[in-house]
Amino acid sequence: MSYRCATSGGCGLQTSPSSLRLLQRAAEWSPSRWLLALGIPFGLAFALVTPPLQAPDEMPHLARALAISEGTLGAEKFVDGKPSIRVPQSFVALPGRLGTGLQMHAERRQDPALIARELARPQRLSPRSWRPLPSVYSPIVYLPQAVGVAVARVLGLPVLWFVYAARLANLAAFLAVTWLALRATPAHATPLLLVALLPMTLFLAASLSADAPTNALAFG
């Protein structure tokens, strides 16, 4: 593609034949292909660039995902009259180690050095303390995050890696289920695609939020 001026004084963009063919092929792509072409790079950007625990309620979602990855689908027992689970103290201390008062405050900046330090900290899942059940959502909407956490746990990765592993698993599940929904409903695929690619939709899909699997299932 180039910019040229004709001898008559008119100027305009000139499209090369190869660029024109590329644009024509892209125009023929199906909505499901557009979902992967745009959803993967932008989703990965959200998952990796967003500072840890800066998406809505990521700390409670992380605790619930760990419990489910270990086979605890609900509360373990009632403590002080509240349904509770055992949460690693390393989880409880994580927000403070990353910077007190940062969560849910996008105007504040996290120190990259603190993130790097947590990414190198040895995995410690004990001792644990009793905490109220982080959420009452169905375990089903935590299955992708639980898979990501389970992989990171088995590999012995530091606790902060659990966040990124769960985000990536959530994004992969969202794109897979939404891709199947677009393929199954061709008559409504284009509007569904536009909703799936909304910045907020992709942002949630690339977080630990239980809303991501819920949204994907709603498309189906």
Side-chain angles (χ1 to χ4, degrees):
M1 186 176 293
S2 60
Y3 188 80
R4 297 180 180 176
C5 295
T7 55
S8 59
C11 297
L13 285 171
Q14 302 294 321
T15 304
S16 65
S18 60
S19 298
L20 185 59
R21 287 194 296 271
L22 180 61
L23 292 174
Q24 289 174 339
R25 287 198 296 268
E28 296 172 356
W29 283 2
S30 65
S32 59
R33 188 171 183 180
W34 275 112
L35 174 72
L36 300 181
L38 297 177
I40 290 177
F42 285 103
L44 287 174
F46 278 130
L48 300 177
V49 174
T50 303
L53 309 184
Q54 287 293 77
D57 300 322
E58 278 202 308
M59 193 65 245
H61 293 316
L62 178 62
R64 185 76 191 279
L66 173 66
I68 293 174
S69 75
E70 295 177 330
T72 303
L73 301 184
E76 294 183 70
K77 73 174 185 177
F78 281 80
V79 178
D80 296 330
K82 299 178 180 179
S84 303
I85 60 173
R86 291 174 300 152
V87 177
Q89 291 185 9
S90 58
F91 275 38
V92 178
L94 184 60
R97 293 200 304 262
L98 289 172
T100 303
L102 290 175
Q103 283 67 47
M104 300 303 295
H105 287 281
E107 75 280 3
R108 303 173 186 173
R109 297 292 179 263
Q110 276 188 327
D111 185 350
L114 296 179
I115 297 176
R117 186 181 68 182
E118 291 304 315
L119 290 175
R121 186 185 294 271
Q123 181 188 114
R124 290 189 63 186
L125 298 181
S126 61
R128 302 192 180 199
S129 57
W130 289 101
R131 299 283 171 171
L133 189 66
S135 76
V136 294
Y137 294 143
S138 166
I140 294 175
V141 295
Y142 284 106
L143 291 180
Q145 304 94 308
V147 169
V149 168
V151 171
R153 177 168 50 82
V154 171
L155 292 177
L157 297 177
V159 166
L160 188 56
W161 282 104
F162 290 19
V163 175
Y164 293 103
R167 284 179 175 180
L168 294 176
N170 217 14
L171 175 65
F174 172 83
L175 292 176
V177 174
T178 304
W179 184 87
L180 291 173
L182 297 183
R183 300 283 293 184
T185 57
H188 306 289
T190 298
L192 290 178
L193 170 68
L194 296 177
V195 175
L197 292 179
L198 286 173
M200 183 53 70
T201 308
L202 270 183
F203 177 75
L204 288 176
S207 72
L208 276 81
S209 176
D211 293 337
T214 303
N215 291 340
L217 292 172
F219 289 141

